[in-house]
Amino acid sequence: MREVSKFTVVTEGTVTTPQGFQAGGLHCGLKKTTRNDLGAIVCEVPAVAAAVYTLNVFQAAPLKVTRESIASSGQRLRAIIVNSGNANACTGKQGEEDAYAMRAAAAEAFGVRPEEVAVASTGVIGELLPMDRVNAGIQGLPAVLTAGADGAEEFCQAILTTDLVKKEVCVKLNVNGREVSIAGAAKGSGMIHPNMATMLGFVTTDAVIKPEALQALLGMTTDATFNMITVDGDTSTNDMLLAMSSGLAGNEALTPEHPDWESFVAGFGYVCEFLAKAIARDGEGASRLVEVNVEGAVSDLSARAIAKTVIGSSLVKSAVFGADANWGRIIAAVGRAGEPVNPETVDISLGSIPVLTDSRPISFDEEEALAYLQGDTVVIHVHLHNGEGRATAWGCDLTYDYVRINAAYRT
Amino acid sequence: MREVSKFTVVTEGTVTTPQGFQAGGLHCGLKKTTRNDLGAIVCEVPAVAAAVYTLNVFQAAPLKVTRESIASSGQRLRAIIVNSGNANACTGKQGEEDAYAMRAAAAEAFGVRPEEVAVASTGVIGELLPMDRVNAGIQGLPAVLTAGADGAEEFCQAILTTDLVKKEVCVKLNVNGREVSIAGAAKGSGMIHPNMATMLGFVTTDAVIKPEALQALLGMTTDATFNMITVDGDTSTNDMLLAMSSGLAGNEALTPEHPDWESFVAGFGYVCEFLAKAIARDGEGASRLVEVNVEGAVSDLSARAIAKTVIGSSLVKSAVFGADANWGRIIAAVGRAGEPVNPETVDISLGSIPVLTDSRPISFDEEEALAYLQGDTVVIHVHLHNGEGRATAWGCDLTYDYVRINAAYRT
């Protein structure tokens, strides 16, 4: 087997680290606080673009507009305009007109064609955008765009809703001896149970890559990363993951046949997995990250279904919040996933502490389990001994704060 | 169309109201408190019996024993022995032996054959039953069995875990001019997302009914009642619904061809729906009952899937707890149910307050909505205008208390 070259995490990297990208954000009045609520990423050249969208029947207006842009521009984008505080979903014909108006205003402000602009929105469903504020905000964006870390920081802040922390990551690797960067930013943190895409995620890279290769890579990577997280089992109307590649690194165009393809896939996967885990860890009200590893399923798909059932169980999530080694709830979730499971051969461990072997309880040190479950990250290992399928899912615990946040979100 | 004769709700009725049944309960030491944790229903004649069980892969040992009893006795039962405080699930070979031992001890105590005894357990998963206490308790049961309301009361208390209130109901109707009673008792209240059966439910009747008719009726009714409730989306390992018919009313045997079949179906359905709703209302931590009515789906099955998705949404449940008229979460749940929905034709109302027409928001009085949502019961109507399918699901809100209860259940 050919050796896969390494990628390096760029500690201070941002979505503007890849060559050709600027970003920025500001407050235009969609959020009641003074936090940023409008942001943009702009590329100095037409970037190869790819996107995946929510499978919710009620897709928000911006998704329709973005899909149309990417289709009519030959899969090229120059800019992404994003607002938080209002999802522009279930807003009917006026909502669609507003999304097109956002696209047109951004195109004019950035000096690009409308079909080179993607639009994304996140926030409350069912309210019309105050377009006077949005338009005024867009006019102000060109002045705040920078290629430095400050513009990326403002952008990351602008896309957050109930998120507590920004989610950003960057890696570097060599392609044909050229340095290539891949960076990403994303936001959560409720209505998170992505199906083909997550809330909002943006990946930038300066690698030269064929459009169809980028789209295929994005879909494949999403299935193993963003589609493997859940906060509350609710799939949003606005989920969208967008990737833009400026090509300014000047490498030979990446395709699956390229000798450095696997390095690029690994780096791209790292970026997406990092963001997905960051969303899970910052899930509404979460006090810890939960990871569920399923091995020995009849297939990877089956392992994914089981891992997502366990990570989504309200009872498992409550037990993790209470640091309770309640493996009975884990096995009950495994058993209701609707996937082939041999009821006699399941092993479960919490971190490195085995609690179940061959579907039978084994005694463990409750103190040790308590200490482990009180940590920052809880890893649940499930081995089915029923095949070669494996998968990992990420989520968070269910806390009082989740209830508090969501009992009072709109009011 | 033939007129369906009426049934009457018997306000003070219990599982011992149908002729031939005795019940009782006591504390044998499985719960840490002094609440009852062991109970039985005994029939003076071999009752026609039917049962439905959880579809969870990890079925608890008592389900295996009960299935075997009903199969080997020609679908006849004389007694049901139930304990709470310990689910006897994931307890391996010893757990099976314990369930058989419970059956044998009950058979001896009640003077019936082992294959005429059903066994049910509910409580913590993965711990062995303290059989000395169980056996001692079973010895004490014959002395406390009565055909009066007191025995039924003790039985109802004995099957509860985190439930706050007992769930019991009784109806009367005429079959061939004979008075027939149908009664039921059930328990919730966490790990409630039944799939083919609910936690524990027991229906008694004195009607003469063919075994295959009772089994068919039980399955059909379960699909529209117990299988339409959810508390937390988690399907238990111990769900079981058992029906016993003593036949002492002396009517001509009920079958779908019997002229009073529809009356019996209506009364049987009322009993099951009453118990299902009682479990939903008393869901762990619940402050109000939520009912979701879906109309205009492409089929009843499709309507059921959509209703269950809405009733199970953590975001919808949190919004109901907060009395927040957040219909955006309702439509988002409708849209992710994976069922055919026309995104342009959905109406939603909260009680009698319309909030969405043709998938577009309509202005409503927030004060009126708040007052409605602060009530005891919240009904969400969803009309898809996409066919003739309809369904109703029941659940509860998601509260701080749900988290509190489940963060500390086992410890």
Side-chain angles (χ1 to χ4, degrees):
Chain A
M1 218 174 89
R2 188 160 41 85
E3 193 190 341
V4 177
S5 71
K6 297 277 190 303
F7 62 86
T8 313
V9 178
V10 184
T11 316
E12 302 289 314
T14 71
V15 287
T16 55
T17 300
Q19 296 176 63
F21 293 94
Q22 290 189 309
L26 50 75
H27 174 76
C28 77
L30 302 176
K31 284 177 183 162
K32 287 167 193 162
T33 64
T34 57
R35 291 167 60 203
N36 285 1
D37 50 21
L38 189 73
I41 298 175
V42 178
C43 187
E44 65 183 63
V45 295
V48 170
V52 285
Y53 309 93
T54 184
L55 287 189
N56 195 303
V57 167
F58 299 97
Q59 295 198 349
L63 278 65
K64 180 182 177 180
V65 173
T66 296
R67 190 181 270 118
E68 194 180 296
S69 284
I70 292 178
S72 61
S73 67
Q75 229 180 305
R76 303 273 166 171
L77 287 178
R78 289 289 303 277
I80 304 170
I81 179 84
V82 195
N83 74 274
S84 57
N86 183 317
N88 194 9
C90 300
T91 44
K93 196 153 184 55
Q94 185 62 49
E96 270 184 41
E97 287 172 14
D98 291 345
Y100 280 114
M102 269 181 80
R103 184 174 81 157
E108 195 182 334
F110 303 138
V112 302
R113 292 183 296 135
E115 62 268 32
E116 292 174 323
V117 178
V119 182
S121 298
T122 177
V124 178
I125 295 173
E127 292 180 9
L128 292 175
L129 280 167
M131 285 303 292
D132 49 340
R133 295 182 195 179
V134 172
N135 281 320
I138 291 173
Q139 305 306 318
L141 277 176
V144 300
L145 292 176
T146 73
D150 51 340
E153 171 71 23
E154 295 297 326
F155 173 81
C156 284
Q157 295 297 336
I159 63 177
L160 305 183
T161 51
T162 51
D163 306 63
L164 297 178
V165 297
K166 66 166 181 169
K167 289 104 187 152
E168 196 173 29
V169 65
C170 183
V171 301
K172 290 202 175 193
L173 61 136
N174 281 306
V175 179
N176 303 127
R178 303 253 184 175
E179 188 177 79
V180 162
S181 303
I182 310 171
K187 61 85 56 185
S189 69
M191 212 175 264
I192 297 289
H193 184 79
N195 193 350
M196 291 301 273
T198 184
M199 275 299 282
L200 294 180
F202 306 98
V203 177
T204 57
T205 176
D206 46 18
V208 181
I209 183 168
K210 295 273 187 192
E212 56 277 19
L214 184 61
Q215 182 65 47
L217 176 59
L218 191 67
M220 184 184 87
T221 307
T222 299
D223 280 344
T225 57
F226 290 101
N227 283 357
M228 290 307 289
I229 62 173
T230 193
V231 168
D232 48 21
D234 277 287
T235 304
S236 157
T237 51
N238 286 53
D239 292 351
M240 188 193 310
L241 177 65
L242 264 171
M244 289 171 79
S245 170
S246 71
L248 294 179
N251 55 285
E252 286 170 32
L254 284 158
T255 66
E257 289 71 41
H258 192 290
D260 292 321
W261 176 250
E262 286 178 39
S263 294
F264 190 76
V265 168
F268 197 90
Y270 178 85
V271 166
C272 290
E273 183 177 315
F274 179 95
L275 294 174
K277 286 168 73 169
I279 289 173
R281 184 184 289 279
D282 192 27
E284 285 179 335
S287 76
R288 42 186 69 102
L289 175 72
V290 185
E291 178 175 311
V292 176
N293 290 313
V294 174
E295 288 181 83
V298 294
S299 69
D300 286 353
L301 268 183
S302 179
R304 283 179 185 175
I306 293 165
K308 287 205 81 168
T309 302
V310 174
I311 204 84
S313 159
S314 292
L315 288 169
V316 172
K317 290 156 61 80
S318 301
V320 171
F321 173 54
D324 180 3
N326 198 326
W327 57 264
R329 295 180 179 170
I330 299 169
I331 201 164
V334 169
R336 73 173 163 87
E339 295 294 325
V341 170
N342 181 338
E344 305 298 334
T345 61
V346 179
D347 298 344
I348 296 178
S349 58
L350 304 172
S352 61
I353 307 166
V355 294
L356 201 77
T357 302
D358 292 338
S359 302
R360 282 163 182 72
I362 48 181
S363 66
F364 58 91
D365 184 335
E366 290 274 357
E367 291 300 314
E368 186 191 355
L370 180 68
Y372 177 70
L373 292 169
Q374 285 174 334
D376 180 53
T377 302
V378 169
V379 182
I380 298 170
H381 297 279
V382 178
H383 204 310
L384 304 173
H385 298 288
N386 204 26
E388 298 299 318
R390 57 173 62 213
T392 302
W394 299 276
C396 56
D397 52 349
L398 176 60
T399 68
Y400 297 122
D401 274 352
Y402 178 84
V403 178
R404 182 184 55 74
I405 292 164
N406 286 302
Y409 177 67
R410 202 188 54 109
T411 45
Chain B
M1 219 173 89
R2 189 161 40 85
E3 192 190 342
V4 177
S5 71
K6 297 279 190 302
F7 61 86
T8 313
V9 177
V10 185
T11 316
E12 304 290 311
T14 71
V15 288
T16 54
T17 300
Q19 297 175 63
F21 293 95
Q22 291 190 308
L26 49 75
H27 174 76
C28 78
L30 302 175
K31 284 177 181 162
K32 287 167 194 163
T33 64
T34 58
R35 292 167 60 203
N36 285 1
D37 49 22
L38 189 72
I41 298 176
V42 178
C43 187
E44 66 184 61
V45 295
V48 170
V52 285
Y53 309 92
T54 184
L55 287 189
N56 195 305
V57 166
F58 300 97
Q59 295 197 349
L63 278 67
K64 181 182 177 181
V65 172
T66 297
R67 189 179 272 118
E68 194 180 294
S69 284
I70 293 178
S72 60
S73 65
Q75 229 181 304
R76 304 271 167 172
L77 287 179
R78 290 288 305 276
I80 304 170
I81 179 83
V82 195
N83 75 274
S84 56
N86 184 316
N88 194 9
C90 299
T91 42
K93 196 150 186 57
Q94 184 62 49
E96 271 185 42
E97 287 172 14
D98 291 346
Y100 280 114
M102 268 180 82
R103 185 174 81 157
E108 195 181 335
F110 304 137
V112 302
R113 292 182 297 135
E115 61 269 31
E116 291 175 322
V117 178
V119 182
S121 298
T122 177
V124 178
I125 295 174
E127 292 180 9
L128 292 176
L129 280 167
M131 286 304 292
D132 50 341
R133 296 182 193 179
V134 172
N135 281 321
I138 291 173
Q139 305 306 318
L141 276 175
V144 300
L145 290 177
T146 74
D150 51 339
E153 171 72 22
E154 296 297 326
F155 173 79
C156 283
Q157 295 297 336
I159 65 177
L160 306 182
T161 52
T162 52
D163 306 63
L164 297 178
V165 297
K166 66 166 181 169
K167 288 105 188 151
E168 194 173 31
V169 65
C170 182
V171 301
K172 290 203 175 190
L173 62 138
N174 281 305
V175 177
N176 303 127
R178 303 254 184 174
E179 187 177 80
V180 162
S181 304
I182 310 172
K187 59 88 53 186
S189 68
M191 211 176 266
I192 297 290
H193 184 81
N195 193 353
M196 293 300 275
T198 186
M199 275 300 283
L200 293 182
F202 306 98
V203 178
T204 57
T205 176
D206 45 18
V208 180
I209 183 168
K210 296 272 188 193
E212 57 276 20
L214 185 62
Q215 181 66 47
L217 176 59
L218 191 68
M220 184 183 86
T221 307
T222 299
D223 281 344
T225 57
F226 290 101
N227 283 356
M228 290 307 289
I229 62 173
T230 192
V231 168
D232 49 19
D234 278 285
T235 305
S236 156
T237 50
N238 287 54
D239 292 351
M240 189 193 308
L241 177 65
L242 262 172
M244 288 172 81
S245 170
S246 70
L248 295 179
N251 55 283
E252 286 170 30
L254 284 159
T255 66
E257 289 70 40
H258 192 290
D260 291 321
W261 175 250
E262 287 179 38
S263 293
F264 190 77
V265 168
F268 197 90
Y270 178 85
V271 166
C272 290
E273 184 177 314
F274 179 95
L275 294 174
K277 286 168 74 169
I279 289 174
R281 184 185 290 280
D282 192 26
E284 283 179 336
S287 75
R288 43 186 68 103
L289 175 72
V290 186
E291 177 174 312
V292 175
N293 289 312
V294 174
E295 287 182 82
V298 294
S299 68
D300 287 353
L301 267 183
S302 179
R304 283 178 185 173
I306 293 165
K308 287 206 81 168
T309 302
V310 174
I311 205 83
S313 160
S314 292
L315 288 168
V316 171
K317 290 156 63 77
S318 301
V320 171
F321 173 54
D324 179 4
N326 198 326
W327 56 263
R329 296 180 179 168
I330 299 169
I331 199 164
V334 169
R336 72 172 163 86
E339 294 295 323
V341 171
N342 181 338
E344 305 297 333
T345 62
V346 179
D347 299 344
I348 295 177
S349 58
L350 304 171
S352 60
I353 307 166
V355 294
L356 201 77
T357 303
D358 292 339
S359 303
R360 282 162 184 71
I362 50 182
S363 65
F364 58 91
D365 185 334
E366 290 273 358
E367 291 301 313
E368 189 190 353
L370 179 67
Y372 177 69
L373 292 170
Q374 285 173 333
D376 180 53
T377 301
V378 169
V379 182
I380 297 170
H381 297 281
V382 177
H383 204 310
L384 304 174
H385 297 288
N386 205 27
E388 299 299 317
R390 59 173 61 212
T392 301
W394 299 276
C396 57
D397 52 349
L398 175 60
T399 69
Y400 297 122
D401 274 352
Y402 177 85
V403 178
R404 182 184 55 73
I405 292 164
N406 285 302
Y409 177 68
R410 201 188 54 109
T411 45

